[in-house]
Amino acid sequence: AVALALAFYAGSAVNTPQNPSAVPELDTVADAAASPPVQAEITPEQIKAQKAEQARQAEALYDAKEYKKAQALALEAASGEYANADAQLLMYRLGANPAGLEAFQMPTSALPNEIAAAAQERLDMSAKVAMTWEESIEWLEKSAKQGHVKANAYLGMQYLFGSRVAPKNYTTALKHIRFAADRGSNHAQQNLGYMYQEGFGVTKDQVSSFNWYKRSADGGSTSATRHVAWSYDQGWGVAKSLTRAISYFRKAAEAGDAEAQSELGHRLISGIGTPKDYNAARYWLAKAAKQGDVIAIRNIGVMYENGYGVREDDVQAYKLFLVASDLGDRDGAYFAGNTLWGLVKHDSRFRE
């Protein structure tokens, strides 16, 4: 640039000074050539946007089960100045051990197929992500401190049910759960309903319990919908109504809730709150049984034992009662014993 400037002045018809350094314009050009370009300073808004994009990409990697890559990207977004709360929550999810993880250590052959698959996925993720339970909770607390609604809901649940790292503390649980519930978290609303139901950290209040369950159900929570059904069934905090109870059981069942499916099937067998319908009962019980609901398995056995909508078959009933019993249903063991006694008494093939 300096050379071009000199050439320009040399070829000009205008008289130029003998000393080029005395030319102001040349000084300016020379200074510009010697100084490095000044980079624009990154604003806090730009940093936040970058970290938000990193968190979004990490979430996509998590969904694709690329757990190590998700962790590396989430860690960058979750750390330092302007740390992203979504990324901090993802760090918690990457390291969190769900309640009852110990049960996942049992041979997967002892679990229903769907549960076994979920258990194996959880164990696979744990093997790929090196993070302690303590570190996981620390990330959750960081996210919650930034006002992240879902993080507060999760943290409140930790203190509500307790763990090795977060012992039960109903006062702390209530603070986080109410924060999230007031801001629309269905999960937190359901847990707040549970706290009022049991009197954990608050005065027991069935009306408040019902109202919070109802808010959660209206927001789409299937398990809260089942709680609303039981409230109408038993008259907990609301006028008793078997018709409304069945309506909410059906709504939760249609949304995939196994307990609601099982209970609806039982009501269709017994005719409690709804006309008997054995075909519909078997349909809902089968759906619940596929999800591992032991009461549904036992009740299918009852249908075979009594010939409710199926051919009476005590052997098939006995087998189903045994399955329910093996999965922890005490009534299943009782039913299996009674059925076996009947088989021994009336069928010589079973006496040996």
mmCIF file of all heavy atoms in Angstrom, residues 292-330:
data_model
loop_
_atom_site.group_PDB
_atom_site.id
_atom_site.type_symbol
_atom_site.label_atom_id
_atom_site.label_comp_id
_atom_site.label_asym_id
_atom_site.label_seq_id
_atom_site.Cartn_x
_atom_site.Cartn_y
_atom_site.Cartn_z
ATOM 1 N N GLY A 292 -45.697 -55.210 31.752
ATOM 2 C CA GLY A 292 -45.210 -55.817 32.980
ATOM 3 C C GLY A 292 -46.083 -55.620 34.200
ATOM 4 O O GLY A 292 -45.641 -55.877 35.321
ATOM 5 N N ASP A 293 -47.324 -55.171 34.020
ATOM 6 C CA ASP A 293 -48.218 -54.953 35.158
ATOM 7 C C ASP A 293 -48.687 -56.309 35.696
ATOM 8 O O ASP A 293 -49.418 -57.045 35.030
ATOM 9 C CB ASP A 293 -49.431 -54.114 34.735
ATOM 10 C CG ASP A 293 -50.285 -53.701 35.920
ATOM 11 O OD1 ASP A 293 -51.107 -54.529 36.368
ATOM 12 O OD2 ASP A 293 -50.120 -52.570 36.406
ATOM 13 N N VAL A 294 -48.279 -56.639 36.923
ATOM 14 C CA VAL A 294 -48.538 -57.982 37.463
ATOM 15 C C VAL A 294 -50.018 -58.188 37.787
ATOM 16 O O VAL A 294 -50.526 -59.312 37.681
ATOM 17 C CB VAL A 294 -47.679 -58.250 38.714
ATOM 18 C CG1 VAL A 294 -46.203 -58.263 38.355
ATOM 19 C CG2 VAL A 294 -47.945 -57.226 39.813
ATOM 20 N N ILE A 295 -50.717 -57.127 38.171
ATOM 21 C CA ILE A 295 -52.144 -57.273 38.483
ATOM 22 C C ILE A 295 -52.915 -57.599 37.214
ATOM 23 O O ILE A 295 -53.857 -58.407 37.229
ATOM 24 C CB ILE A 295 -52.680 -55.987 39.146
ATOM 25 C CG1 ILE A 295 -51.971 -55.754 40.481
ATOM 26 C CG2 ILE A 295 -54.195 -56.080 39.355
ATOM 27 C CD1 ILE A 295 -52.370 -54.469 41.172
ATOM 28 N N ALA A 296 -52.503 -57.006 36.088
ATOM 29 C CA ALA A 296 -53.151 -57.310 34.821
ATOM 30 C C ALA A 296 -52.923 -58.768 34.440
ATOM 31 O O ALA A 296 -53.840 -59.459 33.980
ATOM 32 C CB ALA A 296 -52.613 -56.389 33.727
ATOM 33 N N ILE A 297 -51.704 -59.254 34.643
ATOM 34 C CA ILE A 297 -51.400 -60.661 34.336
ATOM 35 C C ILE A 297 -52.270 -61.580 35.184
ATOM 36 O O ILE A 297 -52.839 -62.559 34.691
ATOM 37 C CB ILE A 297 -49.908 -60.945 34.579
ATOM 38 C CG1 ILE A 297 -49.055 -60.124 33.605
ATOM 39 C CG2 ILE A 297 -49.607 -62.436 34.441
ATOM 40 C CD1 ILE A 297 -47.570 -60.152 33.900
ATOM 41 N N ARG A 298 -52.380 -61.233 36.476
ATOM 42 C CA ARG A 298 -53.209 -62.053 37.363
ATOM 43 C C ARG A 298 -54.669 -62.025 36.934
ATOM 44 O O ARG A 298 -55.353 -63.052 36.929
ATOM 45 C CB ARG A 298 -53.075 -61.557 38.804
ATOM 46 C CG ARG A 298 -53.802 -62.415 39.825
ATOM 47 C CD ARG A 298 -54.540 -61.567 40.847
ATOM 48 N NE ARG A 298 -53.638 -60.612 41.461
ATOM 49 C CZ ARG A 298 -54.079 -59.505 42.064
ATOM 50 N NH1 ARG A 298 -55.381 -59.208 42.057
ATOM 51 N NH2 ARG A 298 -53.246 -58.668 42.623
ATOM 52 N N ASN A 299 -55.167 -60.851 36.545
ATOM 53 C CA ASN A 299 -56.580 -60.746 36.166
ATOM 54 C C ASN A 299 -56.895 -61.451 34.845
ATOM 55 O O ASN A 299 -58.027 -61.902 34.636
ATOM 56 C CB ASN A 299 -57.002 -59.277 36.114
ATOM 57 C CG ASN A 299 -57.323 -58.727 37.494
ATOM 58 O OD1 ASN A 299 -57.763 -59.469 38.377
ATOM 59 N ND2 ASN A 299 -57.105 -57.441 37.693
ATOM 60 N N ILE A 300 -55.924 -61.540 33.963
ATOM 61 C CA ILE A 300 -56.131 -62.369 32.768
ATOM 62 C C ILE A 300 -56.280 -63.829 33.199
ATOM 63 O O ILE A 300 -57.100 -64.581 32.656
ATOM 64 C CB ILE A 300 -54.974 -62.200 31.765
ATOM 65 C CG1 ILE A 300 -54.938 -60.773 31.236
ATOM 66 C CG2 ILE A 300 -55.138 -63.185 30.597
ATOM 67 C CD1 ILE A 300 -53.743 -60.476 30.343
ATOM 68 N N GLY A 301 -55.507 -64.219 34.198
ATOM 69 C CA GLY A 301 -55.653 -65.558 34.769
ATOM 70 C C GLY A 301 -57.044 -65.778 35.339
ATOM 71 O O GLY A 301 -57.635 -66.852 35.180
ATOM 72 N N VAL A 302 -57.585 -64.746 35.984
ATOM 73 C CA VAL A 302 -58.947 -64.830 36.536
ATOM 74 C C VAL A 302 -59.955 -65.042 35.416
ATOM 75 O O VAL A 302 -60.921 -65.816 35.565
ATOM 76 C CB VAL A 302 -59.280 -63.543 37.332
ATOM 77 C CG1 VAL A 302 -60.760 -63.490 37.680
ATOM 78 C CG2 VAL A 302 -58.419 -63.455 38.588
ATOM 79 N N MET A 303 -59.737 -64.399 34.295
ATOM 80 C CA MET A 303 -60.648 -64.560 33.164
ATOM 81 C C MET A 303 -60.636 -66.001 32.657
ATOM 82 O O MET A 303 -61.682 -66.583 32.351
ATOM 83 C CB MET A 303 -60.272 -63.589 32.041
ATOM 84 C CG MET A 303 -60.444 -62.120 32.403
ATOM 85 S SD MET A 303 -60.226 -60.988 30.995
ATOM 86 C CE MET A 303 -61.779 -61.256 30.113
ATOM 87 N N TYR A 304 -59.448 -66.616 32.578
ATOM 88 C CA TYR A 304 -59.365 -68.013 32.149
ATOM 89 C C TYR A 304 -59.936 -68.958 33.204
ATOM 90 O O TYR A 304 -60.575 -69.958 32.882
ATOM 91 C CB TYR A 304 -57.913 -68.388 31.850
ATOM 92 C CG TYR A 304 -57.477 -68.005 30.454
ATOM 93 C CD1 TYR A 304 -56.657 -66.887 30.235
ATOM 94 C CD2 TYR A 304 -57.887 -68.752 29.357
ATOM 95 C CE1 TYR A 304 -56.267 -66.534 28.957
ATOM 96 C CE2 TYR A 304 -57.503 -68.400 28.070
ATOM 97 C CZ TYR A 304 -56.694 -67.288 27.877
ATOM 98 O OH TYR A 304 -56.323 -66.947 26.598
ATOM 99 N N GLU A 305 -59.727 -68.631 34.471
ATOM 100 C CA GLU A 305 -60.222 -69.485 35.537
ATOM 101 C C GLU A 305 -61.749 -69.535 35.545
ATOM 102 O O GLU A 305 -62.350 -70.581 35.834
ATOM 103 C CB GLU A 305 -59.703 -68.974 36.890
ATOM 104 C CG GLU A 305 -60.109 -69.855 38.079
ATOM 105 C CD GLU A 305 -59.594 -69.293 39.376
ATOM 106 O OE1 GLU A 305 -59.638 -68.048 39.565
ATOM 107 O OE2 GLU A 305 -59.147 -70.093 40.223
ATOM 108 N N ASN A 306 -62.382 -68.401 35.204
ATOM 109 C CA ASN A 306 -63.841 -68.308 35.274
ATOM 110 C C ASN A 306 -64.528 -68.330 33.908
ATOM 111 O O ASN A 306 -65.760 -68.283 33.840
ATOM 112 C CB ASN A 306 -64.237 -67.032 36.023
ATOM 113 C CG ASN A 306 -63.794 -67.047 37.465
ATOM 114 O OD1 ASN A 306 -64.448 -67.653 38.319
ATOM 115 N ND2 ASN A 306 -62.674 -66.386 37.758
ATOM 116 N N GLY A 307 -63.753 -68.377 32.852
ATOM 117 C CA GLY A 307 -64.352 -68.380 31.520
ATOM 118 C C GLY A 307 -64.989 -67.057 31.147
ATOM 119 O O GLY A 307 -66.004 -67.031 30.451
ATOM 120 N N TYR A 308 -64.389 -65.960 31.593
ATOM 121 C CA TYR A 308 -64.925 -64.629 31.270
ATOM 122 C C TYR A 308 -64.467 -64.210 29.874
ATOM 123 O O TYR A 308 -63.348 -63.717 29.684
ATOM 124 C CB TYR A 308 -64.449 -63.590 32.280
ATOM 125 C CG TYR A 308 -64.981 -63.749 33.676
ATOM 126 C CD1 TYR A 308 -64.259 -63.260 34.771
ATOM 127 C CD2 TYR A 308 -66.192 -64.368 33.924
ATOM 128 C CE1 TYR A 308 -64.748 -63.379 36.057
ATOM 129 C CE2 TYR A 308 -66.682 -64.511 35.213
ATOM 130 C CZ TYR A 308 -65.956 -64.017 36.274
ATOM 131 O OH TYR A 308 -66.430 -64.150 37.562
ATOM 132 N N GLY A 309 -65.305 -64.430 28.873
ATOM 133 C CA GLY A 309 -64.971 -64.031 27.510
ATOM 134 C C GLY A 309 -63.978 -64.934 26.812
ATOM 135 O O GLY A 309 -63.619 -64.684 25.666
ATOM 136 N N VAL A 310 -63.523 -65.972 27.499
ATOM 137 C CA VAL A 310 -62.594 -66.952 26.924
ATOM 138 C C VAL A 310 -63.036 -68.341 27.362
ATOM 139 O O VAL A 310 -63.875 -68.498 28.263
ATOM 140 C CB VAL A 310 -61.147 -66.703 27.404
ATOM 141 C CG1 VAL A 310 -60.616 -65.367 26.894
ATOM 142 C CG2 VAL A 310 -61.051 -66.745 28.929
ATOM 143 N N ARG A 311 -62.453 -69.348 26.705
ATOM 144 C CA ARG A 311 -62.762 -70.720 27.127
ATOM 145 C C ARG A 311 -62.133 -70.968 28.498
ATOM 146 O O ARG A 311 -60.973 -70.645 28.731
ATOM 147 C CB ARG A 311 -62.203 -71.716 26.114
ATOM 148 C CG ARG A 311 -62.474 -73.181 26.445
ATOM 149 C CD ARG A 311 -61.958 -74.083 25.345
ATOM 150 N NE ARG A 311 -60.531 -73.890 25.127
ATOM 151 C CZ ARG A 311 -59.582 -74.512 25.853
ATOM 152 N NH1 ARG A 311 -59.916 -75.313 26.853
ATOM 153 N NH2 ARG A 311 -58.313 -74.290 25.581
ATOM 154 N N GLU A 312 -62.910 -71.517 29.417
ATOM 155 C CA GLU A 312 -62.400 -71.790 30.757
ATOM 156 C C GLU A 312 -61.209 -72.743 30.674
ATOM 157 O O GLU A 312 -61.269 -73.785 30.036
ATOM 158 C CB GLU A 312 -63.505 -72.396 31.624
ATOM 159 C CG GLU A 312 -63.110 -72.547 33.094
ATOM 160 C CD GLU A 312 -64.279 -73.012 33.951
ATOM 161 O OE1 GLU A 312 -65.428 -72.618 33.668
ATOM 162 O OE2 GLU A 312 -64.037 -73.784 34.903
ATOM 163 N N ASP A 313 -60.119 -72.354 31.321
ATOM 164 C CA ASP A 313 -58.890 -73.142 31.232
ATOM 165 C C ASP A 313 -58.087 -72.941 32.518
ATOM 166 O O ASP A 313 -57.336 -71.971 32.659
ATOM 167 C CB ASP A 313 -58.087 -72.702 30.017
ATOM 168 C CG ASP A 313 -56.871 -73.573 29.739
ATOM 169 O OD1 ASP A 313 -56.405 -74.244 30.671
ATOM 170 O OD2 ASP A 313 -56.398 -73.568 28.592
ATOM 171 N N ASP A 314 -58.246 -73.868 33.463
ATOM 172 C CA ASP A 314 -57.556 -73.737 34.752
ATOM 173 C C ASP A 314 -56.045 -73.867 34.623
ATOM 174 O O ASP A 314 -55.297 -73.258 35.390
ATOM 175 C CB ASP A 314 -58.079 -74.789 35.730
ATOM 176 C CG ASP A 314 -59.453 -74.452 36.274
ATOM 177 O OD1 ASP A 314 -59.883 -73.294 36.097
ATOM 178 O OD2 ASP A 314 -60.110 -75.340 36.858
ATOM 179 N N VAL A 315 -55.592 -74.646 33.647
ATOM 180 C CA VAL A 315 -54.140 -74.794 33.461
ATOM 181 C C VAL A 315 -53.531 -73.472 33.009
ATOM 182 O O VAL A 315 -52.501 -73.028 33.525
ATOM 183 C CB VAL A 315 -53.837 -75.903 32.441
ATOM 184 C CG1 VAL A 315 -52.333 -75.967 32.159
ATOM 185 C CG2 VAL A 315 -54.336 -77.251 32.950
ATOM 186 N N GLN A 316 -54.171 -72.831 32.031
ATOM 187 C CA GLN A 316 -53.685 -71.529 31.568
ATOM 188 C C GLN A 316 -53.771 -70.501 32.695
ATOM 189 O O GLN A 316 -52.865 -69.669 32.861
ATOM 190 C CB GLN A 316 -54.501 -71.065 30.357
ATOM 191 C CG GLN A 316 -54.054 -69.749 29.748
ATOM 192 C CD GLN A 316 -52.679 -69.821 29.100
ATOM 193 O OE1 GLN A 316 -52.117 -70.900 28.940
ATOM 194 N NE2 GLN A 316 -52.119 -68.672 28.769
ATOM 195 N N ALA A 317 -54.828 -70.545 33.472
ATOM 196 C CA ALA A 317 -54.975 -69.628 34.603
ATOM 197 C C ALA A 317 -53.841 -69.831 35.598
ATOM 198 O O ALA A 317 -53.232 -68.864 36.081
ATOM 199 C CB ALA A 317 -56.320 -69.847 35.276
ATOM 200 N N TYR A 318 -53.547 -71.109 35.895
ATOM 201 C CA TYR A 318 -52.480 -71.435 36.850
ATOM 202 C C TYR A 318 -51.142 -70.876 36.367
ATOM 203 O O TYR A 318 -50.381 -70.282 37.153
ATOM 204 C CB TYR A 318 -52.404 -72.945 37.030
ATOM 205 C CG TYR A 318 -51.233 -73.414 37.854
ATOM 206 C CD1 TYR A 318 -51.156 -73.122 39.217
ATOM 207 C CD2 TYR A 318 -50.199 -74.157 37.277
ATOM 208 C CE1 TYR A 318 -50.080 -73.551 39.983
ATOM 209 C CE2 TYR A 318 -49.121 -74.586 38.034
ATOM 210 C CZ TYR A 318 -49.064 -74.277 39.384
ATOM 211 O OH TYR A 318 -48.002 -74.708 40.140
ATOM 212 N N LYS A 319 -50.854 -71.033 35.076
ATOM 213 C CA LYS A 319 -49.599 -70.528 34.519
ATOM 214 C C LYS A 319 -49.499 -69.009 34.662
ATOM 215 O O LYS A 319 -48.440 -68.473 35.017
ATOM 216 C CB LYS A 319 -49.488 -70.921 33.052
ATOM 217 C CG LYS A 319 -49.274 -72.402 32.810
ATOM 218 C CD LYS A 319 -49.212 -72.694 31.315
ATOM 219 C CE LYS A 319 -49.003 -74.181 31.044
ATOM 220 N NZ LYS A 319 -48.973 -74.462 29.586
ATOM 221 N N LEU A 320 -50.591 -68.315 34.396
ATOM 222 C CA LEU A 320 -50.587 -66.853 34.512
ATOM 223 C C LEU A 320 -50.435 -66.407 35.958
ATOM 224 O O LEU A 320 -49.728 -65.432 36.257
ATOM 225 C CB LEU A 320 -51.869 -66.286 33.903
ATOM 226 C CG LEU A 320 -51.935 -66.357 32.368
ATOM 227 C CD1 LEU A 320 -53.357 -66.154 31.879
ATOM 228 C CD2 LEU A 320 -51.011 -65.305 31.747
ATOM 229 N N PHE A 321 -51.077 -67.133 36.874
ATOM 230 C CA PHE A 321 -50.926 -66.803 38.293
ATOM 231 C C PHE A 321 -49.477 -66.980 38.736
ATOM 232 O O PHE A 321 -48.953 -66.185 39.528
ATOM 233 C CB PHE A 321 -51.843 -67.682 39.146
ATOM 234 C CG PHE A 321 -53.317 -67.411 38.945
ATOM 235 C CD1 PHE A 321 -54.250 -68.446 39.069
ATOM 236 C CD2 PHE A 321 -53.779 -66.150 38.644
ATOM 237 C CE1 PHE A 321 -55.601 -68.211 38.892
ATOM 238 C CE2 PHE A 321 -55.133 -65.896 38.460
ATOM 239 C CZ PHE A 321 -56.043 -66.945 38.584
ATOM 240 N N LEU A 322 -48.824 -68.024 38.216
ATOM 241 C CA LEU A 322 -47.426 -68.255 38.559
ATOM 242 C C LEU A 322 -46.538 -67.120 38.034
ATOM 243 O O LEU A 322 -45.617 -66.676 38.732
ATOM 244 C CB LEU A 322 -46.943 -69.586 37.976
ATOM 245 C CG LEU A 322 -47.276 -70.861 38.752
ATOM 246 C CD1 LEU A 322 -46.640 -72.069 38.063
ATOM 247 C CD2 LEU A 322 -46.778 -70.781 40.200
ATOM 248 N N VAL A 323 -46.799 -66.674 36.817
ATOM 249 C CA VAL A 323 -46.021 -65.566 36.259
ATOM 250 C C VAL A 323 -46.176 -64.326 37.128
ATOM 251 O O VAL A 323 -45.194 -63.654 37.471
ATOM 252 C CB VAL A 323 -46.467 -65.262 34.810
ATOM 253 C CG1 VAL A 323 -45.825 -63.973 34.319
ATOM 254 C CG2 VAL A 323 -46.103 -66.421 33.889
ATOM 255 N N ALA A 324 -47.422 -64.020 37.502
ATOM 256 C CA ALA A 324 -47.666 -62.859 38.361
ATOM 257 C C ALA A 324 -46.951 -63.009 39.692
ATOM 258 O O ALA A 324 -46.348 -62.059 40.210
ATOM 259 C CB ALA A 324 -49.167 -62.671 38.568
ATOM 260 N N SER A 325 -47.002 -64.222 40.246
ATOM 261 C CA SER A 325 -46.335 -64.481 41.518
ATOM 262 C C SER A 325 -44.827 -64.308 41.400
ATOM 263 O O SER A 325 -44.187 -63.683 42.254
ATOM 264 C CB SER A 325 -46.659 -65.898 41.992
ATOM 265 O OG SER A 325 -45.941 -66.207 43.170
ATOM 266 N N ASP A 326 -44.236 -64.837 40.325
ATOM 267 C CA ASP A 326 -42.791 -64.730 40.120
ATOM 268 C C ASP A 326 -42.348 -63.279 39.964
ATOM 269 O O ASP A 326 -41.206 -62.935 40.265
ATOM 270 C CB ASP A 326 -42.376 -65.523 38.874
ATOM 271 C CG ASP A 326 -42.462 -67.036 39.090
ATOM 272 O OD1 ASP A 326 -42.542 -67.456 40.264
ATOM 273 O OD2 ASP A 326 -42.457 -67.771 38.088
ATOM 274 N N LEU A 327 -43.259 -62.421 39.491
ATOM 275 C CA LEU A 327 -42.943 -60.993 39.326
ATOM 276 C C LEU A 327 -43.256 -60.176 40.572
ATOM 277 O O LEU A 327 -43.182 -58.949 40.557
ATOM 278 C CB LEU A 327 -43.707 -60.431 38.119
ATOM 279 C CG LEU A 327 -43.240 -60.939 36.750
ATOM 280 C CD1 LEU A 327 -44.159 -60.443 35.649
ATOM 281 C CD2 LEU A 327 -41.803 -60.503 36.472
ATOM 282 N N GLY A 328 -43.624 -60.872 41.659
ATOM 283 C CA GLY A 328 -43.793 -60.194 42.937
ATOM 284 C C GLY A 328 -45.213 -59.980 43.409
ATOM 285 O O GLY A 328 -45.438 -59.325 44.433
ATOM 286 N N ASP A 329 -46.201 -60.535 42.705
ATOM 287 C CA ASP A 329 -47.602 -60.359 43.103
ATOM 288 C C ASP A 329 -47.995 -61.415 44.136
ATOM 289 O O ASP A 329 -48.095 -62.602 43.819
ATOM 290 C CB ASP A 329 -48.504 -60.464 41.870
ATOM 291 C CG ASP A 329 -49.974 -60.274 42.207
ATOM 292 O OD1 ASP A 329 -50.281 -59.421 43.060
ATOM 293 O OD2 ASP A 329 -50.812 -60.989 41.624
ATOM 294 N N ARG A 330 -48.213 -61.005 45.367
ATOM 295 C CA ARG A 330 -48.559 -61.955 46.428
ATOM 296 C C ARG A 330 -49.906 -62.621 46.171
ATOM 297 O O ARG A 330 -50.084 -63.811 46.432
ATOM 298 C CB ARG A 330 -48.573 -61.250 47.787
ATOM 299 C CG ARG A 330 -47.198 -60.782 48.251
ATOM 300 C CD ARG A 330 -47.259 -60.159 49.630
ATOM 301 N NE ARG A 330 -45.954 -59.732 50.095
ATOM 302 C CZ ARG A 330 -45.726 -59.168 51.272
ATOM 303 N NH1 ARG A 330 -46.746 -58.944 52.106
ATOM 304 N NH2 ARG A 330 -44.506 -58.818 51.617
#
